[in-house]
Amino acid sequence: MNPRPTFALTLIALALVACGGSEAPVTTAGQPPATSAPPPVPREALEPDTANATIERAAPPTLRPLALGRFEPGNPVAEAMTGVVEIEDGRITGANGASFLTERVAIVRGGDEFAAGQRYADVMMMDAGQPVELRRVIDESRPTTRPDNAFCGRNATGYLALASYIEGDYRLVKLLALEGGGIPAATATDTALCASTFYLAKP
């Protein structure tokens, strides 16, 4: 047997190791070869797209009217200013042609002030806890017979405040007419009282 071929193969193997050759990876019997983990999912993909997502907002609370229907004048002021009055959701109309297109803006309390030192309860002669419906006057038509006989005279009516409750055999509607463009409040600077009156109807 010639030992030279074996010796030659041994020299070749040593030469390969010396030159930086590497051995094949060793695997354990019965186990699959190791693989690298997938890259992590970008954070942006896990968060909602606020630019395209639908944003749901709660609807503002609905202000319910405190008085609706037909009411008779309860004193000479109401008779002169409107006569019989029809109170609707967005309009108040008098038998004498006076008409007010209104927008309901707030429900306040009798103890609240519509101007500095002036409370609804004191002028309307009712309990401080009584709810008061505040309406902005968007458009006003004066009485057809006596145009100057309006709530605020020759000036425009800015707001109407309404309170309604049962007293004896009648449902009363107390009404305040206010002049001024700003919302009536304790800090209001241009709110002035024009008229205070009341109406009534059988409940």
Side-chain angles (χ1 to χ4, degrees), residues 5-64:
T6 303
F7 179 75
L9 291 174
T10 302
L11 290 177
I12 292 172
L14 292 173
L16 289 174
V17 171
C19 292
S22 59
E23 297 181 355
V26 179
T27 59
T28 306
Q31 297 293 330
T35 58
S36 61
V41 178
R43 181 178 179 86
E44 292 77 8
L46 301 176
E47 297 179 349
D49 186 356
T50 57
N52 297 320
T54 301
I55 300 175
E56 296 183 0
R57 294 182 174 88
T62 302
L63 301 177
R64 300 181 61 182

Side-chain angles (χ1 to χ4, degrees), residues 2-181:
N2 190 356
R4 289 184 177 181
T6 303
F7 179 75
L9 291 174
T10 302
L11 290 177
I12 292 172
L14 292 173
L16 289 174
V17 171
C19 292
S22 59
E23 297 181 355
V26 179
T27 59
T28 306
Q31 297 293 330
T35 58
S36 61
V41 178
R43 181 178 179 86
E44 292 77 8
L46 301 176
E47 297 179 349
D49 186 356
T50 57
N52 297 320
T54 301
I55 300 175
E56 296 183 0
R57 294 182 174 88
T62 302
L63 301 177
R64 300 181 61 182
L66 298 182
L68 294 174
R70 184 181 177 89
F71 297 87
E72 299 286 336
N75 59 9
V77 175
E79 181 65 51
M81 298 295 181
T82 60
V84 176
V85 73
E86 185 78 25
I87 302 177
E88 300 174 276
D89 189 58
R91 184 178 292 275
I92 299 175
T93 307
N96 66 354
S99 179
F100 305 89
L101 179 64
T102 64
E103 174 191 21
R104 191 175 298 106
V105 296
I107 302 294
V108 297
R109 295 288 173 180
D112 293 334
E113 296 181 355
F114 59 85
Q118 300 186 69
R119 304 193 313 164
Y120 294 100
D122 298 333
V123 179
M124 302 171 91
M125 293 183 292
M126 62 185 188
D127 186 78
Q130 182 69 37
V132 178
E133 177 184 338
L134 188 61
R135 295 191 184 193
R136 186 198 316 272
V137 177
I138 300 172
D139 187 48
E140 177 181 1
S141 297
R142 297 178 176 277
T144 53
T145 53
R146 300 181 62 184
D148 290 340
N149 203 21
F151 281 133
C152 292
R154 296 186 178 183
N155 296 328
T157 304
Y159 288 84
L160 294 173
L162 304 170
S164 179
Y165 55 91
I166 300 294
E167 186 173 284
D169 296 332
Y170 293 93
R171 170 167 289 280
L172 268 62
V173 172
K174 299 288 185 72
L175 182 147
L176 285 189
L178 303 173
E179 180 185 345

